[in-house]
Amino acid sequence: MRHMQTFLPLCALVFFTTMTFGQENACSRPSFSDNIEMDGIQRYFNPGEELTLSCKQGYTPLSGPRTVVCGRSGQWTKTKLKCIPKRCPYPDPPDNGELYYEDTVYQSTVNYTCNEGFVLTGARTATCQANGTWSASAPECKPVTCGLAPIPEFGMIVYEKRIRGDTVDYGVTGTYKCLPPHVVVGNARAECTASGTWTKTPVCQVVTCPPPGGINKGYMSSDAQRDFDFMETVKYGCEGDYVLEGNLEAVCQQNGEWSQKPSCKAPCSVGVQRGRILYKGQKLWIKDLKPNKILHHEIVSFYCIDKNNECVYAMPTQCINGKLKIPDCFEEPSEVQFNLASGNQTSEIRQC
């Protein structure tokens, strides 16, 4: 009985020692990057046991080996295995649209948008999947369309390009016109907008102008005391030696007012009696200018003397509505000087 009591504790000690030795040389389940997977759920491994490594879904193995072995020291062998995310092909932007993305690796997303005036048909987003393909194909950007532009009464529209069918694309424009005496009231330009509707349609309204009235020293083609329709015209002319300045005719405008009427400008007379002038390419004694009139905007030159060089030069001046300014350099000879020495006048001296 004493022998048995001694033996049992000894057996228990040996068994405990063996278990402790084996546990100390075992390898604990290793840890790797989040993208690496390991077979099974075993927590401890004896020396010599292998553990197979693999990449999680959506990742591709790079370098090796793909197994590790539990060493006698309780340490696993080294591995250079890396798992990199799979890459999807670079997406192309849709026609008339754009795309936005930061990367094309697994779980990356791409967002699609369409330009103004276009509607997206298809998926707005796509995700790079574990198999290296996008979750959805690129969408289409289809143009917004409008029906034909509304036509106001007594009006019409002229499109910028030929229209086929009963729809037009976004951005197409046209110009409204009205049948006289109607005029466009509002914006004459029409456009198919991004919302699929046309800009506000104008109206065609009758416009007339009151009798235009005459001009001083002039006459007009019609003095009828009546209202004139939009775009009707009246022509003007001037009496005698007066010159018409401005447009020959006035037009009844769409605001119910006449365009600016012309005016008649008066001729000028030469305000000196003696001396010569250059007029229309000819030298003339002022007394021989008959009648003594220079028409509005015409140019006449007076002879001035350059005393330093003892020569003369012609100084031009222009008739402006009845006023002819005599150049400051011109010196009119006295009556005695002019009568006694007409051949020695300023105009007869050597030209500069």
Side-chain angles (χ1 to χ4, degrees):
M1 292 297 292
R2 288 181 182 176
H3 178 75
M4 290 297 293
Q5 289 177 352
T6 304
F7 177 75
L8 287 174
L10 181 61
C11 290
L13 179 62
V14 173
F15 178 75
F16 175 77
T17 303
T18 303
M19 287 299 295
T20 302
F21 175 80
Q23 192 76 4
E24 288 178 351
N25 290 277
C27 295
S28 301
R29 189 176 183 84
S31 61
F32 296 97
S33 68
D34 293 340
N35 302 328
I36 297 178
E37 291 183 325
M38 294 171 282
D39 289 345
I41 58 173
Q42 184 176 340
R43 294 183 60 190
Y44 296 100
F45 297 82
N46 291 321
E49 285 191 86
E50 288 187 356
L51 182 59
T52 301
L53 308 178
S54 61
C55 291
K56 289 183 179 180
Q57 188 179 37
Y59 294 85
T60 300
L62 183 67
S63 300
R66 299 185 192 179
T67 58
V68 290
V69 180
C70 179
R72 290 181 175 274
S73 63
Q75 300 294 322
W76 292 97
T77 56
K78 303 295 184 182
T79 179
K80 294 183 178 180
L81 176 65
K82 292 182 179 180
C83 293
I84 60 174
K86 290 185 178 180
R87 186 174 293 276
C88 289
Y90 288 100
D92 293 322
D95 292 338
N96 301 304
E98 296 180 352
L99 53 79
Y100 305 90
Y101 63 91
E102 294 183 358
D103 208 339
T104 59
V105 296
Y106 172 57
Q107 292 184 329
S108 296
T109 59
V110 58
N111 297 295
Y112 294 95
T113 61
C114 290
N115 298 338
E116 184 181 30
F118 293 85
V119 177
L120 189 142
T121 302
R124 292 186 175 273
T125 62
T127 303
C128 181
Q129 302 177 115
N131 60 2
T133 63
W134 293 101
S135 60
S137 57
E140 289 184 80
C141 290
K142 295 183 177 181
V144 171
T145 59
C146 298
L148 297 179
I151 305 297
E153 188 178 10
F154 304 110
M156 60 181 294
I157 187 170
V158 179
Y159 291 104
E160 65 171 358
K161 64 181 182 179
R162 188 174 181 180
I163 302 299
R164 299 178 183 275
D166 57 0
T167 60
V168 296
D169 290 339
Y170 157 74
V172 169
T173 62
T175 303
Y176 282 106
K177 295 183 178 181
C178 296
L179 302 175
H182 299 79
V183 299
V184 175
V185 177
N187 190 355
R189 185 177 181 273
E191 182 178 5
C192 175
T193 66
S195 63
T197 60
W198 286 93
T199 50
K200 188 176 180 180
T201 306
V203 297
C204 290
Q205 183 175 303
V206 173
V207 168
T208 58
C209 295
I215 56 175
N216 187 36
K217 296 295 182 179
Y219 56 87
M220 56 185 181
S221 59
S222 174
D223 57 0
Q225 296 301 302
R226 63 173 178 84
D227 287 340
F228 288 74
D229 290 336
F230 167 61
M231 292 302 290
E232 274 197 277
T233 62
V234 173
K235 295 184 179 180
Y236 288 89
C238 291
E239 301 171 354
D241 293 326
Y242 281 78
V243 174
L244 191 77
E245 184 169 86
N247 293 325
L248 178 64
E249 60 184 22
V251 182
C252 177
Q253 303 174 115
Q254 69 176 25
N255 61 359
E257 298 178 359
W258 289 94
S259 61
Q260 186 173 3
K261 293 183 288 186
S263 58
C264 293
K265 302 301 183 182
C268 301
S269 60
V270 178
V272 293
Q273 302 296 321
R274 296 172 293 278
R276 268 193 171 182
I277 57 173
L278 182 64
Y279 178 55
K280 294 184 177 180
Q282 292 183 326
K283 273 185 179 182
L284 297 171
W285 294 107
I286 295 175
K287 65 180 181 179
D288 294 333
L289 181 64
K290 296 178 180 178
N292 187 347
K293 287 184 180 178
I294 306 296
L295 299 183
H296 173 68
H297 268 176
E298 285 188 330
I299 294 175
V300 61
S301 297
F302 290 78
Y303 286 97
C304 298
I305 187 169
D306 183 342
K307 295 180 180 179
N308 293 329
N309 296 310
E310 296 185 350
C311 60
V312 296
Y313 59 94
M315 176 61 70
T317 184
Q318 188 176 33
C319 172
I320 303 295
N321 194 25
K323 295 181 180 180
L324 184 72
K325 184 179 184 301
I326 306 301
D328 293 335
C329 65
F330 176 76
E331 296 180 3
E332 183 180 12
S334 67
E335 187 173 355
V336 174
Q337 290 174 324
F338 181 76
N339 290 332
L340 294 178
S342 60
N344 195 30
Q345 296 303 312
T346 302
S347 61
E348 310 307 311
I349 302 175
R350 177 179 62 88
Q351 297 283 320
C352 294

